Amino acid sequence: MTDRTSRTSRTDLSDRAGPADRTGPTAHTAHTDHLGPVGLRTRATVVVVPGRGETRATYARLGARLAADAYRVRVVDAPDLDTGDPSGASARFAARLAAAVDGIAAEDGTVRPLVLVGADTGAAAVAALLAPGAHPAAPAPDAVVLAGLPGRAATAPGAWEDELDVRTACPVHRSTLTDDDRVRRGSLGDPVPDSLLDAAYGGTSAVPTLFLVGDADPLADLDALLRTATSLPRARLSVVRGAHHDVLNDTQHRAVAAEIVSFLEALRDALVPAVAVRTSAW
């Protein structure tokens, strides 16, 4: 467990020069950290993996919200799909993720549970790490959150406004994506390697898994997700009413963050929820 004398969000950018200290950017890492409030013990370590076209800034709101509840959050760069060499891309992603987790251990100590949160192809890449013997050097998470997994027959959007409509109805998130010149427009049309989709939908891992999907996500395959979630020994599928593809950042982002926090808290008590409803009129 770690206590801090100061808690801030910090960004370390691989392509920006800066002082090599713990409060500003460095030239040697590629992640953004969100640290919890002063005086509170860290409750878990959360590593967020973006999806196609997204940047670390895409998850500033989620990172800050989880950190406010005393979770240690690190957001890494999205995985490189490299359809020409999917196994090599997966190995490089595993090594980069391991380095990010090792970096947390060196700085603060990795507070368990360690939870990997992936969105879109970030979720598929995380799922691939759970396959038996996939990448021995990859970090071993205590749980994963797989949000907005694309289906096999996902249809690519057209113009930027169409892509925004697929991603989100949240005006703040739409502005975040539009104003970030690092966001790669049209990226939802990038093909997803079959190996990643096979891992995401055909896995057998017993690692506790929370699937999150919007029921208005045109890229999702809800039936396939339901089959996958029911086939796994410790999985939950949570469907967010009215949410689009960017389920972690749509208009329901507060409720989605609360669902993740409930999952994180249940992990600390053998997946037994802290709150059980005995009766309700709604």
Side-chain angles (χ1 to χ4, degrees):
M1 301 286 186
T2 57
D3 286 304
R4 285 182 170 272
T5 56
S6 64
R7 295 266 176 180
T8 60
S9 294
R10 63 174 182 263
T11 303
D12 296 329
L13 302 175
S14 58
D15 56 354
R16 289 177 56 185
D21 59 32
R22 301 189 61 208
T23 59
T26 78
H28 306 293
T29 56
H31 54 257
T32 300
D33 288 338
H34 300 273
L35 309 180
V38 176
L40 296 185
R41 290 181 178 272
T42 302
R43 298 186 65 76
T45 301
V46 179
V47 178
V48 180
V49 183
R52 287 170 292 182
E54 298 176 324
T55 72
R56 283 173 272 140
T58 308
Y59 292 92
R61 182 168 62 182
L62 175 68
R65 179 164 284 129
L66 296 180
D69 276 331
Y71 300 106
R72 206 299 191 187
V73 182
R74 172 162 287 182
V75 185
V76 300
D77 288 327
D80 174 18
L81 297 181
D82 194 353
T83 53
D85 180 22
S87 60
S90 186
R92 291 190 294 274
F93 168 68
R96 184 158 56 82
L97 200 59
V101 173
D102 290 346
I104 295 173
E107 294 171 10
D108 306 315
T110 304
V111 177
R112 294 282 178 167
L114 168 64
V115 181
L116 304 181
V117 178
D120 182 61
T121 50
V126 166
L129 299 182
L130 302 181
H135 298 286
D142 298 297
V144 297
V145 177
L146 306 180
L149 275 169
R152 294 181 184 276
T155 304
W160 177 238
E161 286 298 321
D162 297 325
E163 182 172 346
L164 285 175
D165 290 341
V166 167
R167 285 187 176 275
T168 181
C170 174
V172 173
H173 185 47
R174 290 170 76 99
S175 294
T176 297
L177 294 171
T178 300
D179 296 343
D180 185 351
D181 59 8
R182 293 172 179 264
V183 167
R184 189 164 53 83
R185 301 186 180 194
S187 58
L188 287 183
D190 293 349
V192 185
D194 288 338
S195 58
L196 290 187
L197 293 175
D198 289 344
Y201 288 99
T204 58
S205 172
V207 171
T209 302
L210 171 63
F211 292 93
L212 288 166
V213 63
D215 67 2
D217 179 0
L219 303 186
D221 186 337
L222 288 171
D223 291 337
L225 282 172
L226 180 59
R227 287 193 298 270
T228 298
T230 4
S231 72
L232 296 175
R234 293 196 291 176
R236 170 180 287 184
L237 171 60
S238 295
V239 179
V240 184
R241 292 200 305 270
H244 297 71
H245 185 61
D246 292 3
V247 66
L248 298 177
N249 280 305
D250 210 352
T251 52
Q252 307 82 353
H253 59 90
R254 294 174 183 84
V256 170
E259 179 75 0
I260 294 173
V261 169
S262 295
F263 179 56
L264 294 174
E265 290 300 304
L267 285 172
R268 296 166 57 89
D269 195 19
L271 289 178
V272 177
V275 178
V277 177
R278 294 290 296 272
T279 183
S280 174
W282 53 270

